[in-house]
Amino acid sequence: MTDVRAADKSRSLAWHLTVLGLGLIVPAFLFTGVLFVQYSFSESERLKERTRTVARTLAVAVDREVANITTTLEALALSPSLQRGDLDEFHRHAQEVQRRQRFHVTLRDPEGVGIVSTRLPMGERLTGNPPELKAADAYVVATGRPYSSDLLTGVITGQPALHLIVPARVSGATGWVVSASFPPDFLQSTLERMALPTGWSAGIIDRRGLQIIRIPARDDLVGRPTRQTYGTGAGSFTSTNRDGVSAFFAYDTSQSGWRVVVAIPTASLEAPMTRSVGTLLGLGAALGVLTLILTRITGRRILAAMSVVNAAARRIGHGEIVSVAATPVTEINTIGAALREASHDLARRAEERDRVLAALRESELRYRTLHESMRDPFVQTDMAGRIVAHNDLYAEMLGYSADELRHLTYRDLTPEAWHEAEETIVQEQILRRGYSDVYEKEYRRKDGTVIPVELRTVLGRDANGVPNAMWAIVREVGARKRAERELRLANERFRLALAAAPITVFAQDQALRYTWVNSAVYGCAADAVIGKRDAEILERAEDAAVLDALKTRVITTAIGERHEVEVTRQGVSWCYDLLVEPLRDPGGTIGGVICAAIEITERKRAERELSQSQRFETFSRIAGGIAHDFNNLLSVVAGNLELVETREAPDDVRRAIATSLSAIRDGATLSRRMQQILSAGRRRTPVRERLVVSEQVKTAARLLEHTVGPSVALKTEIAPDLWPVEVDPGEIDSVLFNLALNAREAMPAGGTLTIAVANVVVAPDSPELRDGAAPGDHVRLSVTDSGVGMPPEILRRIGEPFFSTKRLGQGTGLGLASVFGFVRDAGGFVSVTSAPGAGTCVSLYLPRAVATAAVETGPSEPAPTGDGELVLVVEDDERVRQVSLRRLEMLGYAVLEARDAAEALAQIRAGEPVDLVFSDISMPGASGYDLAATLRAEHPALPVLLTTGFEPGDPRRDDSRAPAGVAILEKPYSMARLARAVAAALHPELDTARAQPVVTSPVNT
């Protein structure tokens, strides 16, 4: 009855398969549903966050547009025409701005009246501005800050308009403002550039909640209040728009006070959920139908296979030998195979017994043959470790006889230090999994020597699977150990050699990924580059592309190459001598490249500096020669003008002569300053003078105005009563030009360059004091720019020789290094402050020169004249010689002339009673120095006065060659300076200190 009741409760195979299928599908369906819901929610949140991001982005774009207009207005407010009160010129500037930027400009006085407006002709006034605009003007005047108005109605157009207002000064008077007005659609292009998705909308709302602009465009909404209430800053909410459509609103407040609003329909947010629900329902229905179909098909196949097995079982019950046909079900086939084997079992048992006996005999024979033919030592122990079997090689390796080994265990043959480790291997490997890994240990031979071996041990079992033995194949590894030690020593020696060498060696595979390096590569730590390509460690993609092309070519052609390559690291260019060779495996296949790199940055910069220095030396010599000829021409012109000046002439002619002489003095000063600048760039010994640098700065500023370009505003701030310093004037000029050019490069879009000079007292504990300089009185010369500035890592290295952030060939890295060297040689120090985006200030602290007694030189003191003394003028330039002769004659001297030194010596040796030789230095044949030396030797008492148009430091002027006591008068010189110089040379015993020529200032009179 129990079996019958159980049978009544049984279910068909198809029913069970259906339940099983549904049990698998329903959880998967539910899990998929959860995933769809989560996806829909995250997609909706992503769209909301994107809406907020668009609002923030549009607010930034509006701020940028407002900032551009504000910048233009501030430039107009600071224009020189407005400062001078030139309203006509200001009106022209405003009209030019209106034409270019499409907004109108108005200048309003403190009463709010539009004095100048691009909407009206010049002279007409714009009145009747709304109170809101007047209040905005008052706010701008009171705070001094720009202001963006709400949407107001234009006085002239009557249309809505926006106003941007900045403060201004007219002829120094405050209370004025400059205003820009533009219609709301001026900002439409700013919103349209965002390219919003279909269905989205965006708009700008002023502080009062009035609609300024909207996209898609709705002109009917401009100036109307919005339906929503917005908080300060940024936010979001869900509401309905003017069309009654539910939408999600995100807003952000621009710096101008306007709110940028972006709206997306709620339907767009719910679309992912709707799609997910539909997809989920369709997928569930399809899976249910598919499960029912597969269940019925599978059930029928299983029932058909089971009927075959049932028939075979009944035949076996009758003692038949059966063969069950194959079915589509693997498990039923297994049952059929078992039935087939059972039917053959009786017949097979006798045959199996015979086969087992024969196999056992054959196995014993194979075991004995294997045991005796092994080429490695073999040993077998019981579970207690006693040696029960071994081959002859094992006994020979240890030096024991077979009888001796039978009385030993493997522990007796193993040094005690290995017992614990080997027992761990037995317990954790051999007994647990039936064998060990290959491991190393030591054996102690019979003679006491210890040998290293490696072995693998296998566990033996009896017929019941119980462990009963362990056997191992043993191999002596002493020779291999010695070879490994030698290899390790060789590798270590090779590693140390590579580490000590100033070279980086590295290998890369065919994908050009680093596989091995001996040290840092291109400034990157060795462990940081393994597995990476050059593009992942270099700053510039073009550097990596050049290296990849070179290495790929070597792999392709199998021919090594050597090149000089350049990479950028931390903004600085470095040059390497790179050798690339193909890397082959033992089979000769190229698997990558092996490279050796030596840094040659300083060598390349030194080569370029030498080449540049040689070119500059040549240029300086040519320029110096031109300046020399220019000084000769000035001497001729100035001399002739001074000769004409001594004659009677109308006042207007005399004024013209005075003006021309003043221009000549300025030209001489310019020529001298240019020679000093050029000579400062040459390798020369500095010629220091005690001077006040204010004039140097003023003259340099005039030259720099044309050098830095119109986009850079140059300002000078020179304090009164500056202390003197002792420096080379040419080096001062070179430093100013160097720093100014660096500043110009730091301001690619233009800016302000300020050169300031002031007296400062540096305290001993001042943080600015550095480089071992002494505290005390200094003159601070500062060059400040408003450029891009420098990060700390660059600022720390700016004084290093050859350090440059420019590419090789674009700079030598010696500019600031030479500045530091000049100041250090002068006993001062340099302070540099800079930050990214904040500009750079380089301050040179030059120590105050020790006071010396000043020489009184009265400009009204009359020039000394001669008393008929005979002066021999030696000059190869005919025009200069003739002017000099006439000047000396007018000063009361008798004159002789000679074209060169040979002619002058001939006249003196012929007995001419010469009282003074006045000679140029640079002449064909013997120089003025040679002539003075010869005269000093032949006529020691004969005075000599030399003159030249070359600047001190020029390689063609070497004052050390002049005999002691010989003065040098620089061209061009005035008649007064010539008179004092000649008088000082003729009468050195008199108090002629006031008549001494100032050789470093050729324009002094």
PDB file of all heavy atoms in Angstrom, residues 191-206:
ATOM      1  N   LEU A 191      25.156  80.607 -25.678  1.00  0.00           N
ATOM      2  CA  LEU A 191      24.367  79.418 -25.303  1.00  0.00           C
ATOM      3  C   LEU A 191      24.338  78.399 -26.439  1.00  0.00           C
ATOM      4  O   LEU A 191      24.394  77.190 -26.204  1.00  0.00           O
ATOM      5  CB  LEU A 191      22.937  79.845 -24.953  1.00  0.00           C
ATOM      6  CG  LEU A 191      22.785  80.831 -23.775  1.00  0.00           C
ATOM      7  CD1 LEU A 191      21.325  81.083 -23.496  1.00  0.00           C
ATOM      8  CD2 LEU A 191      23.485  80.307 -22.526  1.00  0.00           C
ATOM      9  N   GLU A 192      24.250  78.873 -27.687  1.00  0.00           N
ATOM     10  CA  GLU A 192      24.109  77.941 -28.811  1.00  0.00           C
ATOM     11  C   GLU A 192      25.367  77.120 -29.029  1.00  0.00           C
ATOM     12  O   GLU A 192      25.318  76.038 -29.586  1.00  0.00           O
ATOM     13  CB  GLU A 192      23.757  78.726 -30.078  1.00  0.00           C
ATOM     14  CG  GLU A 192      22.342  79.297 -30.036  1.00  0.00           C
ATOM     15  CD  GLU A 192      22.037  80.151 -31.254  1.00  0.00           C
ATOM     16  OE1 GLU A 192      23.013  80.545 -31.943  1.00  0.00           O
ATOM     17  OE2 GLU A 192      20.847  80.429 -31.516  1.00  0.00           O
ATOM     18  N   ARG A 193      26.545  77.654 -28.619  1.00  0.00           N
ATOM     19  CA  ARG A 193      27.782  76.877 -28.797  1.00  0.00           C
ATOM     20  C   ARG A 193      27.757  75.572 -28.004  1.00  0.00           C
ATOM     21  O   ARG A 193      28.521  74.659 -28.292  1.00  0.00           O
ATOM     22  CB  ARG A 193      28.989  77.717 -28.391  1.00  0.00           C
ATOM     23  CG  ARG A 193      29.436  78.709 -29.441  1.00  0.00           C
ATOM     24  CD  ARG A 193      30.835  79.226 -29.159  1.00  0.00           C
ATOM     25  NE  ARG A 193      30.895  80.048 -27.973  1.00  0.00           N
ATOM     26  CZ  ARG A 193      30.734  81.379 -27.969  1.00  0.00           C
ATOM     27  NH1 ARG A 193      30.519  82.008 -29.103  1.00  0.00           N
ATOM     28  NH2 ARG A 193      30.811  82.070 -26.847  1.00  0.00           N
ATOM     29  N   MET A 194      26.905  75.463 -26.957  1.00  0.00           N
ATOM     30  CA  MET A 194      26.846  74.238 -26.163  1.00  0.00           C
ATOM     31  C   MET A 194      26.200  73.103 -26.944  1.00  0.00           C
ATOM     32  O   MET A 194      26.441  71.940 -26.664  1.00  0.00           O
ATOM     33  CB  MET A 194      26.076  74.523 -24.871  1.00  0.00           C
ATOM     34  CG  MET A 194      26.001  73.326 -23.938  1.00  0.00           C
ATOM     35  SD  MET A 194      27.628  72.635 -23.527  1.00  0.00           S
ATOM     36  CE  MET A 194      28.299  73.973 -22.576  1.00  0.00           C
ATOM     37  N   ALA A 195      25.386  73.393 -27.990  1.00  0.00           N
ATOM     38  CA  ALA A 195      24.737  72.366 -28.818  1.00  0.00           C
ATOM     39  C   ALA A 195      23.944  71.394 -27.933  1.00  0.00           C
ATOM     40  O   ALA A 195      24.278  70.228 -27.778  1.00  0.00           O
ATOM     41  CB  ALA A 195      25.758  71.620 -29.672  1.00  0.00           C
ATOM     42  N   LEU A 196      22.859  71.903 -27.320  1.00  0.00           N
ATOM     43  CA  LEU A 196      22.060  71.093 -26.395  1.00  0.00           C
ATOM     44  C   LEU A 196      21.345  69.969 -27.161  1.00  0.00           C
ATOM     45  O   LEU A 196      20.979  70.113 -28.331  1.00  0.00           O
ATOM     46  CB  LEU A 196      21.023  71.982 -25.706  1.00  0.00           C
ATOM     47  CG  LEU A 196      21.593  73.108 -24.818  1.00  0.00           C
ATOM     48  CD1 LEU A 196      20.450  73.945 -24.264  1.00  0.00           C
ATOM     49  CD2 LEU A 196      22.429  72.531 -23.702  1.00  0.00           C
ATOM     50  N   PRO A 197      21.105  68.810 -26.499  1.00  0.00           N
ATOM     51  CA  PRO A 197      20.336  67.724 -27.135  1.00  0.00           C
ATOM     52  C   PRO A 197      18.906  68.170 -27.431  1.00  0.00           C
ATOM     53  O   PRO A 197      18.379  69.130 -26.851  1.00  0.00           O
ATOM     54  CB  PRO A 197      20.391  66.615 -26.080  1.00  0.00           C
ATOM     55  CG  PRO A 197      21.569  66.936 -25.211  1.00  0.00           C
ATOM     56  CD  PRO A 197      21.644  68.412 -25.193  1.00  0.00           C
ATOM     57  N   THR A 198      18.254  67.433 -28.303  1.00  0.00           N
ATOM     58  CA  THR A 198      16.873  67.737 -28.686  1.00  0.00           C
ATOM     59  C   THR A 198      15.963  67.673 -27.464  1.00  0.00           C
ATOM     60  O   THR A 198      16.043  66.734 -26.658  1.00  0.00           O
ATOM     61  CB  THR A 198      16.404  66.744 -29.756  1.00  0.00           C
ATOM     62  OG1 THR A 198      17.299  66.807 -30.870  1.00  0.00           O
ATOM     63  CG2 THR A 198      15.001  67.089 -30.226  1.00  0.00           C
ATOM     64  N   GLY A 199      15.089  68.656 -27.340  1.00  0.00           N
ATOM     65  CA  GLY A 199      14.160  68.692 -26.215  1.00  0.00           C
ATOM     66  C   GLY A 199      14.673  69.484 -25.034  1.00  0.00           C
ATOM     67  O   GLY A 199      13.902  69.847 -24.150  1.00  0.00           O
ATOM     68  N   TRP A 200      15.982  69.746 -24.976  1.00  0.00           N
ATOM     69  CA  TRP A 200      16.547  70.526 -23.874  1.00  0.00           C
ATOM     70  C   TRP A 200      16.350  72.026 -24.179  1.00  0.00           C
ATOM     71  O   TRP A 200      16.236  72.441 -25.336  1.00  0.00           O
ATOM     72  CB  TRP A 200      18.031  70.245 -23.707  1.00  0.00           C
ATOM     73  CG  TRP A 200      18.343  68.881 -23.169  1.00  0.00           C
ATOM     74  CD1 TRP A 200      17.723  67.720 -23.463  1.00  0.00           C
ATOM     75  CD2 TRP A 200      19.402  68.543 -22.270  1.00  0.00           C
ATOM     76  NE1 TRP A 200      18.294  66.678 -22.806  1.00  0.00           N
ATOM     77  CE2 TRP A 200      19.335  67.153 -22.049  1.00  0.00           C
ATOM     78  CE3 TRP A 200      20.365  69.277 -21.605  1.00  0.00           C
ATOM     79  CZ2 TRP A 200      20.213  66.496 -21.218  1.00  0.00           C
ATOM     80  CZ3 TRP A 200      21.257  68.620 -20.772  1.00  0.00           C
ATOM     81  CH2 TRP A 200      21.175  67.237 -20.576  1.00  0.00           C
ATOM     82  N   SER A 201      16.363  72.817 -23.152  1.00  0.00           N
ATOM     83  CA  SER A 201      16.290  74.261 -23.303  1.00  0.00           C
ATOM     84  C   SER A 201      17.208  74.915 -22.280  1.00  0.00           C
ATOM     85  O   SER A 201      17.542  74.303 -21.260  1.00  0.00           O
ATOM     86  CB  SER A 201      14.852  74.774 -23.130  1.00  0.00           C
ATOM     87  OG  SER A 201      14.381  74.487 -21.809  1.00  0.00           O
ATOM     88  N   ALA A 202      17.622  76.142 -22.579  1.00  0.00           N
ATOM     89  CA  ALA A 202      18.513  76.867 -21.675  1.00  0.00           C
ATOM     90  C   ALA A 202      18.176  78.345 -21.753  1.00  0.00           C
ATOM     91  O   ALA A 202      17.654  78.831 -22.772  1.00  0.00           O
ATOM     92  CB  ALA A 202      19.974  76.648 -22.040  1.00  0.00           C
ATOM     93  N   GLY A 203      18.455  79.076 -20.691  1.00  0.00           N
ATOM     94  CA  GLY A 203      18.170  80.489 -20.671  1.00  0.00           C
ATOM     95  C   GLY A 203      18.982  81.209 -19.616  1.00  0.00           C
ATOM     96  O   GLY A 203      19.633  80.569 -18.779  1.00  0.00           O
ATOM     97  N   ILE A 204      18.963  82.542 -19.675  1.00  0.00           N
ATOM     98  CA  ILE A 204      19.666  83.384 -18.711  1.00  0.00           C
ATOM     99  C   ILE A 204      18.629  84.300 -18.059  1.00  0.00           C
ATOM    100  O   ILE A 204      17.786  84.895 -18.745  1.00  0.00           O
ATOM    101  CB  ILE A 204      20.758  84.217 -19.387  1.00  0.00           C
ATOM    102  CG1 ILE A 204      21.759  83.295 -20.110  1.00  0.00           C
ATOM    103  CG2 ILE A 204      21.493  85.066 -18.374  1.00  0.00           C
ATOM    104  CD1 ILE A 204      22.794  84.067 -20.899  1.00  0.00           C
ATOM    105  N   ILE A 205      18.671  84.418 -16.742  1.00  0.00           N
ATOM    106  CA  ILE A 205      17.696  85.194 -15.953  1.00  0.00           C
ATOM    107  C   ILE A 205      18.474  86.200 -15.133  1.00  0.00           C
ATOM    108  O   ILE A 205      19.514  85.874 -14.542  1.00  0.00           O
ATOM    109  CB  ILE A 205      16.863  84.265 -15.052  1.00  0.00           C
ATOM    110  CG1 ILE A 205      16.104  83.246 -15.917  1.00  0.00           C
ATOM    111  CG2 ILE A 205      15.897  85.071 -14.195  1.00  0.00           C
ATOM    112  CD1 ILE A 205      15.470  82.145 -15.128  1.00  0.00           C
ATOM    113  N   ASP A 206      17.993  87.447 -15.091  1.00  0.00           N
ATOM    114  CA  ASP A 206      18.711  88.454 -14.310  1.00  0.00           C
ATOM    115  C   ASP A 206      18.350  88.342 -12.829  1.00  0.00           C
ATOM    116  O   ASP A 206      17.593  87.454 -12.415  1.00  0.00           O
ATOM    117  CB  ASP A 206      18.451  89.856 -14.861  1.00  0.00           C
ATOM    118  CG  ASP A 206      16.992  90.310 -14.668  1.00  0.00           C
ATOM    119  OD1 ASP A 206      16.239  89.621 -13.965  1.00  0.00           O
ATOM    120  OD2 ASP A 206      16.626  91.358 -15.238  1.00  0.00           O
TER     121      ASP A 206
END
